[in-house]
Amino acid sequence: MKTVDTYNFKNLCALIRVDFNVPLDKQTFEVKDDTRILGALRTINKVLQDGGSVILMSHLGRPKGGPEEKYSLMHLVSTISKALNKPVKFVNDCIGEEVKQAASSLKPGEVLLLENLRFHAEEEKGDEAFAKQLAELGDLFVNDAFGTAHRAHASTAIIAKFFPAEKKMFGLLMASELENADKAIHEPAKPFTAIIGGAKVSDKILIIERLLGRADNIIIGGGMAYTFFKAMGGNIGNSLCEEDRLDNAIQLIKKAEEKKVNILLPADSITASSFSNDATRGKCASMSISTGNMGLDIGPKAIEDFRAVILQSKTILWNGPMGVFEFSNFQTGTKAVAEAVAEATLKGAYSLVGGGDSVSAINKYNLADKVSYVSTGGGALLEYFEGKELPGVAAIMKK
Ligand code: AMP
C-alpha cells in the first residue's frame, strides 16, 4: 500500500483529504470530540517534517449545497492549530481565486485549511470540473479520510484522476484503518465473535450476512434484537421493531443454522414504561415484554451469556450499542460488553471497535486504549466488511 511514508515531500504541497466531520457545540461551535483531528496528525506531521506544506480539505455536517455558519470549518482552526502546535491558515472557500492565491503562497512547514467542501453541491455529485479545481491546488493528493471512503465524491475519489499514480497515496490513518479491518476480515484468529447492536436491523443486514461466512458467534443486541424476537413469535410490547424486516430476520437465523454460526440474542431485557431515563424500569425475558413496555437494555442473564462468549474469543468486532446507553439507567449492558471486550483484549484477543455509537460508548467508559483498534469510520467500515469496494480506496489504487 502506497502511503506518505514512502515519499519525500520536501518543497512540495500535499493536498490532504481528511475527515474532520467532528461534533460541534450547538451554541459555541466548539469542537466537542477531537478524535478525528488527532487521527490525522501523523500524516500531516510527516509532510511538514519532510519540509513540505499542507492543504487540508474536509466536509463537516450536511449543509444544503451553500455556506451555513454552523458548518464552517473555521470553527476547527484553533483545535487543529493546538493539536499541531503551529498556526493554521484558513480561507473562506475551497475553490476560486482567493484560494489559489493562498495555496500558491504557502511556504514549507505551513498549513492551510479550506472551507467546507460541501458548501458546493458539486462535491457530493462527484463533479469533475470541481474536482479538477481542487486538484490544481496541490502537487500531490493524499487521502486520509477513511470515514468518507465509501463515498464517490469529488474530493474523495474523482480528484485522484488528476494525479499520476506516483502522486497520489494514502495517509497513515487510512492505512491503519484498512490494515486493521483486513485483520478482522481476512485472517481472524478463531473463535471470531461479532457484536452487532444499535437501533436498526435494516442498517446491519448486509454486514450480518457477510459475517455468517466468517464469524463463529454473532451477538445481536440493542433495539434491533426486538425485530428478531417479534419474528420468532415473541411479545415485544412497544420495543423498537421494523415490521418490514421480519422476514429478513428469520432468513438470517435460518442461514446461521445452516452455516453453524452461533447467533446469540439477549435472553432478558431491562424494560421501560416510556422512552425516558426516568421511566419505570422492569426486567423480563426478551420474548415476553408486556404491552406498554419497551426493552431499552439487555438484562443480567444476557450480559452473563454475552460475556462468556466474548471472553473465549480470539477476534472481536463490535459495532453498535446494546441499549440506549445515552440514558444512565439503561447503559449497564453496553458498559458490560465494553468491559468484556477490554478484558478479552487483555487476555490476547484482537478487538476492533467501529461505528459512531460504539466508539462513543468505548470512550465514555474510558476503555479506548484497552481495545486493539478504534476505527474512525462508521459507514465506511461497515461497507468494507460487507465486501463493497470503497471508491476512496479504489481511486488511489488505480493507475
Ligand atoms: P445505530 O446508529 O443503528 O448503531 O443505533 C445507535 C442508537 O441505537 C443509539 O442512539 C441507541 O440509543 C439506540 N438504541 C440501542 N438500543 C436501543 C433500544 N433497545 N431501543 C431504542 N433505541 C436503542
Side-chain angles (χ1 to χ4, degrees):
M1 184 181 294
K2 194 162 161 228
T3 73
V4 289
D5 266 348
T6 59
Y7 209 89
N8 188 339
F9 291 87
K10 194 169 170 45
N11 292 325
L12 294 169
C13 176
L15 180 60
I16 311 180
R17 175 53 157 106
V18 285
D19 182 358
F20 284 175
N21 185 24
V22 295
L24 298 182
D25 183 280
K26 284 195 175 67
Q27 260 95 46
T28 63
F29 300 126
E30 265 170 61
V31 175
K32 284 204 294 186
D33 181 346
D34 61 0
T35 312
R36 286 184 158 171
I37 293 173
L38 300 182
L41 290 184
R42 278 194 307 145
T43 301
I44 301 170
N45 281 325
K46 161 69 172 96
V47 176
L48 297 177
Q49 276 154 16
D50 278 357
S53 57
V54 167
I55 299 178
L56 297 171
M57 54 177 180
S58 178
H59 73 287
L60 174 65
R62 294 180 180 273
K64 295 175 187 68
E68 284 178 62
E69 203 211 336
K70 64 178 173 182
Y71 294 129
S72 172
L73 279 163
M74 189 179 64
H75 306 308
L76 276 59
V77 171
S78 62
T79 308
I80 304 170
S81 170
K82 203 166 135 211
L84 284 169
N85 201 17
K86 62 164 57 211
V88 168
K89 298 183 170 183
F90 179 76
V91 265
N92 280 320
D93 207 338
C94 57
I95 51 166
E97 271 316 307
E98 197 192 332
V99 181
K100 269 198 219 166
Q101 275 291 325
S104 61
S105 58
L106 266 189
K107 295 186 193 67
E110 289 187 335
V111 179
L112 171 70
L113 174 68
L114 306 183
E115 183 53 291
N116 196 337
L117 294 157
R118 291 193 188 166
F119 284 177
H120 292 266
E122 291 89 341
E123 161 66 357
E124 289 182 80
K125 287 185 189 143
D127 184 88
E128 288 219 5
F130 176 72
K132 187 163 184 278
Q133 281 178 277
L134 292 173
E136 281 163 5
L137 299 173
D139 300 310
L140 301 104
F141 172 59
V142 177
N143 193 348
D144 210 16
F146 181 68
T148 4
H150 57 317
R151 309 279 184 221
H153 292 170
S155 70
T156 60
I158 313 306
I159 190 171
K161 279 186 198 172
F162 301 101
F163 291 90
E166 69 279 10
K167 291 199 170 164
K168 51 188 167 189
M169 62 201 77
F170 294 114
L172 300 173
L173 173 66
M174 180 79 122
S176 314
E177 293 277 1
L178 294 172
E179 275 160 27
N180 278 281
D182 282 343
K183 224 177 193 174
I185 300 176
H186 298 303
E187 52 204 64
K190 299 281 196 165
F192 173 18
T193 298
I195 310 163
I196 308 291
K200 287 188 174 168
V201 182
S202 46
D203 289 347
K204 313 276 164 95
I205 285 177
L206 287 175
I207 187 172
I208 297 178
E209 274 186 351
R210 182 109 206 272
L211 288 166
L212 284 175
R214 286 154 208 271
D216 302 290
N217 307 295
I218 301 180
I219 292 176
I220 296 178
M224 60 186 277
Y226 300 100
T227 301
F228 284 84
F229 288 122
K230 176 90 184 272
M232 293 187 295
N235 293 319
I236 60 162
N238 290 344
S239 307
L240 267 191
C241 180
E242 285 174 273
E243 296 286 342
D244 56 340
R245 296 294 176 177
L246 296 174
D247 280 351
N248 286 124
I250 292 290
Q251 289 308 322
L252 285 175
I253 291 172
K254 269 200 193 137
K255 277 192 204 160
E257 273 167 16
E258 281 161 26
K259 299 203 168 193
K260 304 206 171 6
V261 176
N262 183 23
I263 291 226
L264 283 97
L265 285 156
D268 55 354
S269 291
I270 302 298
T271 59
S273 52
S274 65
F275 190 79
S276 150
N277 188 41
D278 304 321
T280 308
R281 274 177 292 164
K283 185 181 75 186
C284 64
S286 300
M287 285 285 272
S288 21
I289 298 176
S290 55
T291 313
N293 284 310
M294 59 183 85
L296 292 191
D297 194 6
I298 57 172
K301 174 74 174 75
I303 291 179
E304 200 185 310
D305 295 346
F306 292 1
R307 208 181 127 74
V309 168
I310 292 167
L311 289 180
Q312 284 167 8
S313 306
K314 288 277 175 281
T315 304
I316 302 164
L317 165 71
W318 181 23
N319 177 285
M322 296 292 103
V324 185
F325 75 104
E326 299 92 335
F327 293 165
S328 58
N329 286 332
F330 299 95
Q331 64 168 330
T332 309
T334 303
K335 186 160 184 253
V337 162
E339 285 166 351
V341 174
E343 217 175 306
T345 313
L346 190 65
K347 282 179 38 184
Y350 172 79
S351 55
L352 169 61
V353 181
D357 281 306
S358 15
V359 174
S360 323
I362 209 94
N363 285 332
K364 184 171 176 184
Y365 309 125
N366 292 320
L367 293 170
D369 58 351
K370 304 270 188 311
V371 296
S372 311
Y373 193 74
V374 178
S375 173
T376 55
L381 184 72
L382 285 185
E383 291 200 15
Y384 198 58
F385 267 92
E386 285 162 14
K388 292 185 185 152
E389 181 183 83
L390 303 183
V393 174
I396 298 279
M397 305 288 215
K398 275 184 198 130
K399 293 266 178 260

